[in-house]
């Protein structure tokens, strides 16, 4: 599904050059729910932005569904973002001027493909995530948790190969966070969605099948979930503690 | 259902939701185009073009302020465009993140910005004409109305506006393209929230800025004289670059204002920290805005200072002049005799007293002339017959002025005003030549005598015997008479006005000349078979325009009738005054709009800061104080800098004219100070209104 090999990315600030990703390797299988954790500055968001084709990378390769992302034209990258990737931002990134229904349908609208099937899919997604009652409301009229669930629904409207989520619970209270994570769980279980999530939140990560720990721009360790969610959260916290020492 | 919800419809809906920002963008473009159109329409109108003397200081002043305003408006529209796209960027970024390619976004985005920028610009241009017409009409209704003030437009003015329109549209397209071609989509999404901090400069930045402003002003002002007097070359156009330090200094002062402020926070470093930080983190935009405001205020002050500068001196001179009526004419003209004038006055129930009459002759005077070595450089060469000089004998001078003067044979004395601020005859006249007989007398400068009424016509006084010698064989064409008298009763405007028209009617066509037309120079040029440089001047002035400002100010035989000059001063100068008052209004209005817009932007951009402050328990009084601090910096510093810099420059110009500050100039400076206080009042009122509006927007 998703293969990342020897991925390198650096930023230049003035004359100084900061190497953020120092050769990252991992893969995500179809239907897998994977989280990336790590301290601030470890390169989590940069990694996600490279995979989502939002920022160009320097070296290495990213292969999504058999398509190599490097060297693709701008037009092709836009198509990949639209059809093969669903993205969930930390701060929701809903368009204020559109209703929730319209926001969910935006990935279809940009391809001029709003048909009956899209409408039906939107309806089923909102009922799956428990936000059917806000379909005709506008972002300013709903809560943060509802906004993020709408964003998850939007990420699924094109049946993408993978959902990329950047700190999706970062701006939410615990109740809303749980609702969003459950929405991801529903997407995985009922729609066989593949989810790749960057998070700081061990609670959110404990719902995943696998957690990749990043430190200083490299993979520090990968942990697979073999136990109950609560126990897995403890394992994660121990690993994070060990990583910070 | 959303089945028919196309990309186009979505974009339209988003545009509708975004109308708050669009309105601001529309407003900024509209204002800039309206102001520039109005300014150029008035500046290039035949009304102004005919009244403002070509190559004159007033015209140069008008053009300089126009350039200043244009720069201000260009920066302002660029700022508006940048602001609009900062808000638009998050929308664009989200759509790009969701898979909209550039190709998909280009039509909608460019359609929107083309419509917004062109509609606002076209509306601004269209509004510019009624705007200037209404203001001009207002002047005519409430202030002064004269025949000169009949406003007509020359459609050439539209070219300036069209150029600005293309700039506005072009800049909007460039901005759109800049955002779309970015490869880092996250940057596009986050653009709106990216701060624009300015570089941290040390605290010397502000004081050094002030020094640069003063140094640049002095350098720019003195450079042309240096070129002319020391290098003996005409100043090239690039000499204006000597003013560049003024702009660098201005930037540094504004930078200091934004980064450090002008108060000392050492004792309490947390005082006003929120307002200071908000300013610092939007530094680039704020600094740009403050510079525009300072420039516009400086331009406005430069314009409005014209009124007291020219008014105070003239009105003071009229009040002090020793004769109610004073005029001169060529001896070959058929002007009324003393009896006829007395009879004319009697018809108005007036009688004359202090009748004074004298004679003068016009001769060819020698002088230093600039001989061109190449296109720019020249050397000075003495020419025995350079131009016209009016000569009075000691006796005639005493008769007219009542003051005796002793001029040694072979010398001459220049007639100047009391303050010696008038332009007198040259001090390098070495020869005086009778233009009929070509008899020549060697002479040299022996000092000045003072009589204001004779000071503006290049009179010199010579020894009686020299005068007699030089007058021999001179025809009436080169002879003239000077007359002065007072009125016994209270003077009548009707008499003065009728007498003025009657006086003008008495001259023949050979006297239909501007005062700077030089008959001697023409004669010499013709004798050499050369073309006279001033030939075009013959068509400059016409008797039928007897009531125009140009005629009254420029006619070679313009009389000085006190009551007419005093009463008609505003009429004579109306177009000048109204033009400069208009420029002042336009500059002040633009500066206030920029201040208001900047403060509104602060309110819009920092709404979340105030929300957070509210959540942290900040009292309304505290938040209001922060709002006031923000507005205070936006309004106060550039206004003070603009006003004080222009006041100092103005004082420097007055001093530079004649190397001293005379009474009328002190009065002008006092009046200018009064005007600055009035401007301060207006600015304060707008500041109060802006704070009130920000308070409402932020829900304080």
């Amino acid at each position: 599904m998703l293969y990342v090999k020897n991925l390198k990315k650096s930023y230049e600030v003035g004359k100084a050059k900061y190497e953020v990703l120092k050769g990252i390797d991992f893969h995500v299988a179809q239907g897998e729910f994977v989280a990336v954790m790590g301290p601030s500055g470890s390169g989590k968001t940069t990694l996600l932005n490279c995979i989502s084709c939002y920022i160009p990378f320097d070296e290495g390769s990213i292969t999504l569904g058999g398509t190599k992302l490097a060297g693709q034209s701008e037009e092709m990258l836009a198509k990949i973002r639209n059809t093969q990737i669903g993205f969930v931002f930390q701060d929701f990134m809903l368009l204020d001027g559109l209703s929730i229904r319209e926001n969910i349908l935006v990935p279809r609208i940009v391809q001029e493909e709003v048909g009956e099937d899209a409408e039906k899919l939107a309806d089923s997604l909102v009922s799956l995530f428990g936000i059917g009652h806000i379909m005709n409301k506008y972002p300013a009229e709903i809560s943060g948790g509802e906004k993020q669930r709408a964003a998850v629904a939007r990420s699924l409207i094109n049946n993408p190969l993978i959902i990329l989520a950047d700190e999706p619970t970062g701006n939410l209270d615990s109740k809303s966070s749980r609702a969003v994570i459950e929405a991801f769980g529903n997407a995985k279980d009922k729609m066989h969605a593949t989810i790749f999530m960057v998070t700081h939140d061990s609670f959110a990560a404990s719902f995943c099948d696998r957690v990749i720990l990043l430190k200083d721009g490299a993979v520090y360790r990968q942990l697979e979930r073999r136990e109950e969610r609560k126990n897995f959260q403890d394992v994660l916290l121990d690993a994070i503690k060990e990583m910070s020492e | 259902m959303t089945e028919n919800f196309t990309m186009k419809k979505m974009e339209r809906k988003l545009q509708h939701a975004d109308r708050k920002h669009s309105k601001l963008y529309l407003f900024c473009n509209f204002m800039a185009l309206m102001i520039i159109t109005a300014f150029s329409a008035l500046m290039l109108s035949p009304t102004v073009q005919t009244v403002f003397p070509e190559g004159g200081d007033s015209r140069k002043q008008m053009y300089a302020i126009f350039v200043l305003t244009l720069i201000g408006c260009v920066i302002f529209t660029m700022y508006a465009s940048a602001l609009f796209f900062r808000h638009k960027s998050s929308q664009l970024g989200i759509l790009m993140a969701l898979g909209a390619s550039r190709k998909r976004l280009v039509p909608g985005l460019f359609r929107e910005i083309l419509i917004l920028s062109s509609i606002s610009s076209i509306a601004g241009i269209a509004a510019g004409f009624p705007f200037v017409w209404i203001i001009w009409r207002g002047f005519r209704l409430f202030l002064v109305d004269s025949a000169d003030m009949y406003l007509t437009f020359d459609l050439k003015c539209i070219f300036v506006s069209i150029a600005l329109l293309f700039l506005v549209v072009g800049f909007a397209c460039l901005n759109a393209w800049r955002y779309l071609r970015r490869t880092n989509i996250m940057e596009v999404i986050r653009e709106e929230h990216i701060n624009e901090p300015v570089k941290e400069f040390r605290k010397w930045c502000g004081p050094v800025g002030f020094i640069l402003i003063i140094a640049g002003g002095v350098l720019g002002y003195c450079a042309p004289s240096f070129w002319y007097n020391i290098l003996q070359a005409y100043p090239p156009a690039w000499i204006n670059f000597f003013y560049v330090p003024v702009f660098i200094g201005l930037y540094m002062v504004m930078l200091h204002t934004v980064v450090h402020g002008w108060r000392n926070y050492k004792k309490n470093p947390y005082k006003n920290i929120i307002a200071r930080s908000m300013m610092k983190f939007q530094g680039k935009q704020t600094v740009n805005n403050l510079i525009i405001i300072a420039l516009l205020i400086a331009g406005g002050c430069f314009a409005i200072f014209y009124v007291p500068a020219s008014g105070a001196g003239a009105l003071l001179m009229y009040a002090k002049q020793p004769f109610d009526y004073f005029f001169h004419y060529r001896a070959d003209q058929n002007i009324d005799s003393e009896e006829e004038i007395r009879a004319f006055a009697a018809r108005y129930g007036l009688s004359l007293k202090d009748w004074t009459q004298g004679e003068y002759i016009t001769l060819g005077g020698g002088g230093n002339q600039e001989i061109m070595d190449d296109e720019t450089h020249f050397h000075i060469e003495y020419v025995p017959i350079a131009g016209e000089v009016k000569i009075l004998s000691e006796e005639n001078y005493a008769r007219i002025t009542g003051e005796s003067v002793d001029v040694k044979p072979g010398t001459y004395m220049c007639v100047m005003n009391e303050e010696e601020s008038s332009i007198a005859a040259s001090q390098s006249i070495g020869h005086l030549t009778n233009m009929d007989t070509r008899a020549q007398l060697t002479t040299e400068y022996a000092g000045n005598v003072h009589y204001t009424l004779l000071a503006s016509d290049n009179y010199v006084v010579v020894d009686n015997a020299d005068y007699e010698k030089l007058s021999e064989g001179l025809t009436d064409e080169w002879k003239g008479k000077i007359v002065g008298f007072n009125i016994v009763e209270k003077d009548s405007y009707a008499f003065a006005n009728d007498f003025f028209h009657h006086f003008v009617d008495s001259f023949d066509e050979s006297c239909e000349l501007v005062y700077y037309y030089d008959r001697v120079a023409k004669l010499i040029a013709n004798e050499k078979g050369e073309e006279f440089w001033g030939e075009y001047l013959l068509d400059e002035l016409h008797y039928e325009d007897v009531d125009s400002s140009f005629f009254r100010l420029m006619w070679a035989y313009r009389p000085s009738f006190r009551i007419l000059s005093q009463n008609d001063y505003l009429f004579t100068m109306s177009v000048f005054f109204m033009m400069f008052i208009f420029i002042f209004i336009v500059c002040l209005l633009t500066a206030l709009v920029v201040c208001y817009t900047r403060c509104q932007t602060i309110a819009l951009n920092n709404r979340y800061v105030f929300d957070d402050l509210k959540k942290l328990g900040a009292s309304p009084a505290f938040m209001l104080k922060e709002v006031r601090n923000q507005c205070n910096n936006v309004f106060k510093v550039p206004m003070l800098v603009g006003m004080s810099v222009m006041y100092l420059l103005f004082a420097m110009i007055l001093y530079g004219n004649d190397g001293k500050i005379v009474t009328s100039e002190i009065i002008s400076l006092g009046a200018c100070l009064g005007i600055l206080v009035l401007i301060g009042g207006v600015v304060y009122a707008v500041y109060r209104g802006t704070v009130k509006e920000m308070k409402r927007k932020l829900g304080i």
Side-chain angles (χ1 to χ4, degrees):
Chain A
M1 162 61 62
L2 171 70
Y3 290 91
V4 175
K5 280 187 184 164
N6 193 29
L7 187 68
K8 288 183 182 172
K9 170 75 184 170
S10 54
Y11 290 110
E12 279 176 22
V13 181
K15 284 176 185 172
K17 193 175 179 181
Y18 298 99
E19 213 175 354
V20 183
L21 301 179
K22 299 169 180 168
I24 296 221
D25 292 282
F26 67 87
H27 87 276
V28 179
Q30 164 78 48
E32 208 178 359
F33 187 2
V34 178
V36 178
M37 294 186 80
S40 294
S42 58
K44 302 183 298 291
T45 300
T46 302
L47 172 66
L48 201 69
N49 288 337
C50 288
I51 297 170
S52 54
C53 331
Y54 290 169
I55 59 172
F57 50 90
D58 303 337
E59 270 182 57
S61 73
I62 301 172
T63 310
L64 180 65
T67 309
K68 285 200 168 189
L69 300 185
Q72 297 289 351
S73 66
E74 278 298 320
E75 198 65 26
M76 192 60 198
L77 286 177
K79 198 170 180 188
I80 290 170
R81 277 198 296 270
N82 183 252
T83 57
Q84 298 185 23
I85 298 171
F87 204 96
V88 180
F89 298 89
Q90 181 179 2
D91 37 9
F92 330 123
M93 294 292 171
L94 296 175
L95 293 163
D96 291 336
L98 303 182
S99 68
I100 295 305
R101 172 185 287 277
E102 289 158 352
N103 260 294
I104 292 171
L105 287 165
V106 167
R108 289 290 183 104
I109 296 168
V110 298
Q111 294 299 336
E112 303 283 14
E113 282 175 1
V114 186
E116 210 177 313
D117 60 324
E119 295 277 357
K120 276 185 186 165
L121 181 56
D123 286 338
S124 62
L125 285 170
V126 291
S127 60
L128 181 66
F129 301 141
I131 49 171
H133 60 289
I134 55 160
M135 279 293 264
N136 294 317
K137 290 195 173 177
Y138 284 81
E141 300 166 342
I142 62 173
S143 71
E146 287 169 330
K147 279 182 198 171
Q148 197 59 300
R149 278 180 283 159
V152 175
R154 179 178 67 183
S155 72
L156 286 161
I157 196 72
N158 267 340
N159 288 315
L161 290 176
I162 192 165
I163 294 173
L164 303 174
D166 184 11
E167 304 267 12
T169 58
N171 278 352
L172 302 176
D173 56 50
S174 57
K175 195 180 161 196
S176 301
S177 295
R178 190 172 192 108
V180 169
I181 292 301
E182 279 171 4
F184 279 129
N186 282 335
K188 176 184 177 311
D189 297 340
K190 295 181 180 156
M191 300 176 73
H192 311 290
T194 309
I195 302 158
F196 186 75
M197 171 177 78
V198 163
T199 185
H200 265 112
D201 183 359
S202 61
F203 171 76
S206 66
F207 284 85
C208 297
D209 302 320
R210 185 155 53 100
V211 174
I212 300 170
L213 295 179
L214 281 193
K215 189 182 178 186
D216 298 332
V219 174
Y220 174 74
R221 198 172 155 191
Q222 297 199 38
L223 299 162
E224 279 197 41
R225 179 178 158 192
R226 298 176 205 281
E227 52 280 275
E228 284 296 304
R229 188 204 66 77
K230 192 148 187 347
N231 294 340
F232 187 48
Q233 190 179 0
D234 293 338
V235 172
L236 285 175
L237 288 170
D238 288 342
I240 292 165
K241 199 177 165 191
E242 182 196 308
M243 184 168 66
S244 0
E245 280 166 2
Chain B
M1 297 298 269
T2 30
E3 265 180 61
N4 294 321
F5 205 67
T6 58
M7 183 83 173
K8 210 170 171 180
K9 279 185 185 167
M10 181 183 76
E11 283 166 346
R12 211 171 296 153
K13 200 167 174 193
L14 287 172
Q15 285 159 20
H16 181 72
D18 224 15
R19 62 190 180 280
K20 192 168 65 185
H21 298 305
S22 309
K23 268 186 197 168
L24 190 67
Y25 179 58
L26 284 167
F27 175 70
C28 293
N29 283 344
F30 175 82
M31 283 303 292
L33 264 295
M34 185 180 82
I35 281 160
I36 288 302
T37 306
F39 199 150
S40 56
L42 193 55
M43 185 178 72
L44 299 174
S45 76
T47 316
V48 168
Q49 288 290 315
T50 43
V51 171
F52 277 58
E54 215 165 307
D57 285 348
S58 51
R59 191 178 277 231
K60 281 181 196 161
Q61 191 174 338
M62 176 176 73
Y63 288 150
I65 303 170
F66 177 72
V67 171
L68 215 62
T69 314
L70 189 63
I71 292 171
C73 285
V74 167
I75 301 174
F76 185 48
T77 52
M78 283 161 76
Y79 157 71
S81 172
L83 198 66
F84 175 71
F85 275 99
R86 268 171 76 83
H87 293 300
K88 193 86 193 154
S89 66
S90 114
Q91 203 179 83
L92 276 178
I94 293 171
L95 289 173
M96 285 160 94
L98 296 176
S101 66
R102 280 178 208 160
K103 227 185 202 172
R104 298 280 302 136
L105 291 171
V106 161
L109 181 64
F110 277 83
R111 197 184 310 124
E112 182 185 3
I113 57 156
L114 280 173
I115 289 172
L116 285 180
S117 55
S118 52
I119 283 182
S120 55
S121 306
I122 291 167
I125 293 172
F129 292 98
F131 175 68
V132 68
W133 190 85
I134 288 167
I135 291 191
W136 202 252
R137 199 75 216 146
F139 286 156
R140 296 186 73 176
L141 269 174
F142 302 111
L143 285 176
V144 58
D145 197 3
S146 73
D148 283 342
M149 287 186 75
Y150 181 72
L151 187 63
T152 51
F153 292 121
D154 182 342
L155 281 178
K156 261 190 289 178
C157 68
I158 207 95
F159 290 122
V160 183
S161 309
I162 288 174
L164 187 58
L165 181 146
F166 279 118
L167 194 89
V168 167
V169 175
F171 198 75
C173 291
L174 189 78
N175 254 333
W177 180 241
R178 208 163 58 88
Y179 278 96
L180 283 177
R181 64 186 283 273
R182 281 195 189 169
T183 46
N184 191 334
I185 294 175
M186 293 315 290
E187 268 182 19
V188 181
I189 294 177
R190 311 266 178 222
E191 177 78 19
E192 193 179 0
H193 303 290
I194 293 173
N195 289 315
E196 295 179 310
V198 278
K199 273 188 183 176
E200 280 274 357
F201 276 91
R202 295 230 175 128
K203 288 205 168 176
W204 50 258
C205 175
V208 168
F210 275 118
I211 293 169
L212 279 176
I213 291 175
I214 293 166
V218 174
L219 209 61
Y221 183 73
C222 297
S225 330
F226 176 81
W227 238 255
Y228 188 83
N229 295 321
I230 311 293
L231 303 180
Q232 293 208 328
Y234 291 112
W238 60 261
I239 205 163
N240 291 318
F241 280 108
F242 280 105
Y243 281 109
V244 165
V246 173
F247 295 95
I248 297 171
L250 199 59
Y251 180 77
M252 289 171 78
V253 169
M254 296 310 159
L255 202 62
H256 186 100
T257 306
V258 169
V259 177
H260 303 295
W262 293 95
R263 286 186 197 169
N264 191 352
Y265 291 101
K266 265 186 187 167
K267 278 187 187 166
N268 188 356
Y270 298 107
K271 201 177 175 190
N272 299 333
I273 194 163
I274 293 166
R276 280 188 284 143
S277 301
M278 277 195 276
M279 264 203 131
K280 205 185 286 188
F281 285 102
Q282 286 169 8
K284 282 182 188 167
Q285 285 181 15
T286 313
V287 170
N288 285 346
N289 276 242
L290 298 189
I291 291 172
I292 297 171
I293 298 162
L295 284 178
L296 287 168
I297 284 297
C301 290
F302 194 33
I304 199 69
F305 287 174
Y306 179 87
V307 179
S310 56
L315 293 173
L316 200 69
M317 188 186 80
Y318 299 147
K320 279 171 70 178
Q321 70 185 46
F323 289 107
D324 292 335
Y325 293 79
F326 192 82
F327 52 92
H328 73 280
Y329 56 91
R330 246 163 56 182
D332 62 344
Q333 300 300 302
N334 187 25
I335 306 298
D336 284 358
S337 64
E338 183 182 347
E339 289 69 36
E340 284 167 324
I341 295 172
R342 283 184 187 277
F344 196 101
R347 275 189 263 156
Y348 295 82
L350 301 175
S351 43
L352 313 187
K353 64 174 182 181
D354 309 328
W355 181 273
T356 306
Q357 194 168 325
E359 287 172 2
Y360 71 91
I361 54 173
T362 303
L363 300 178
N368 292 329
Q369 278 191 345
E370 292 157 11
I371 309 294
M372 298 303 294
D373 299 327
D374 53 45
E375 277 184 7
T376 52
H377 290 80
F378 59 84
H379 68 271
I380 302 287
E381 209 172 273
Y382 179 77
V383 181
I385 309 176
E388 270 186 45
V389 189
K390 290 191 177 78
I391 314 288
L392 290 164
S393 64
E394 292 164 301
E395 187 191 333
N396 273 304
Y397 180 79
R399 196 179 298 156
I400 295 161
T401 65
E403 289 169 21
S404 58
V405 58
D406 181 26
V407 185
K408 289 192 177 99
T411 66
Y412 70 93
M413 294 179 91
C414 295
V415 184
M416 294 193 82
N417 62 5
E418 302 293 336
E419 292 161 331
E420 294 207 344
S421 59
S422 59
I423 298 165
S426 165
Q427 295 179 6
S428 60
I429 302 171
H431 299 82
L432 290 170
T433 308
N434 179 319
M435 294 309 290
D436 285 325
T437 63
R438 298 301 161 109
Q440 206 166 54
L441 186 84
T442 311
T443 186
E444 64 177 334
Y445 172 69
N448 298 327
V449 286
H450 305 102
Y451 195 73
T452 304
L453 278 170
L454 293 171
S456 55
D457 276 310
N458 286 6
Y459 282 97
V460 301
V461 187
V462 298
D463 169 62
N464 285 333
D466 287 349
Y467 184 85
E468 284 306 317
K469 237 181 275 171
L470 287 162
S471 305
E472 274 171 32
L474 204 62
T475 55
D476 280 353
E477 190 192 342
W478 299 99
K479 288 180 178 173
K481 287 181 179 165
I482 299 171
V483 174
F485 60 84
N486 287 316
I487 300 289
V488 176
E489 299 80 10
K490 192 172 181 282
D491 200 1
S492 148
Y493 175 81
F495 165 66
N497 193 38
D498 290 349
F499 182 50
F500 171 68
H501 285 89
H502 177 71
F503 179 71
V504 175
D505 288 344
S506 309
F507 283 81
D508 65 23
E509 280 179 4
S510 64
C511 292
E512 204 173 10
L513 302 167
V514 286
Y515 73 85
Y516 42 89
Y517 184 86
D518 196 312
R519 290 185 294 153
V520 168
K522 179 182 161 60
L523 204 65
I524 296 299
N526 288 352
E527 280 173 8
K528 286 182 184 168
E530 292 169 0
E531 199 186 334
F532 173 48
W533 63 268
E535 211 61 69
Y536 73 97
L537 295 173
L538 287 171
D539 201 34
E540 290 259 286
L541 180 133
H542 305 284
Y543 286 142
E544 55 265 34
D545 301 326
V546 62
D547 286 322
S548 71
S549 328
F550 190 77
F551 190 93
R552 291 194 176 194
L553 295 170
M554 304 295 171
W555 186 37
Y557 303 94
R558 63 203 179 285
S560 181
F561 297 172
R562 191 203 316 265
I563 194 168
L564 197 66
S565 306
Q566 283 174 333
N567 282 272
D568 288 358
Y569 184 71
L570 207 55
F571 289 90
T572 310
M573 300 298 287
S574 58
V575 175
F576 290 91
F577 284 174
M578 294 308 116
M579 180 70 203
F580 284 114
I581 292 173
F582 174 81
I583 293 172
F584 163 70
I585 292 173
V586 159
C587 289
L588 183 66
L589 190 68
T590 317
L592 291 175
V593 166
V594 179
C595 283
Y596 177 82
T597 315
R598 181 69 221 153
C599 290
Q600 295 309 308
T601 314
I602 290 169
L604 286 174
N605 285 355
N606 295 302
R607 215 197 146 80
Y608 68 96
V609 177
F610 287 96
D611 285 343
D612 289 348
L613 284 173
K614 214 182 283 179
K615 283 176 198 161
L616 289 168
S619 67
F622 176 82
M623 289 195 289
L624 189 60
K625 198 183 83 183
E626 296 304 324
V627 167
R628 278 208 188 110
N629 275 332
Q630 282 283 298
C631 291
N632 204 11
N633 280 329
V634 173
F635 276 86
K636 199 171 74 183
V637 177
M639 294 283 177
L640 279 178
V641 169
M643 289 198 276
S644 41
V645 163
M646 198 39 72
Y647 191 74
L648 288 174
L649 185 70
F650 183 66
M652 200 167 78
I653 291 171
L654 291 183
Y655 180 79
N657 281 341
D658 46 20
K660 60 188 162 211
I661 299 275
V662 297
T663 317
S664 61
E665 289 167 342
I666 292 169
I667 294 171
S668 299
L669 285 169
C672 291
L673 212 56
I675 289 172
L676 292 184
V677 172
L678 280 178
I679 297 173
V682 173
V683 172
Y684 182 69
V686 177
Y687 158 79
R688 290 287 298 262
T690 308
V691 170
K692 208 172 162 190
E693 179 64 11
M694 281 179 79
K695 212 175 122 185
R696 192 186 63 78
K697 279 198 170 150
L698 293 167
I700 298 171

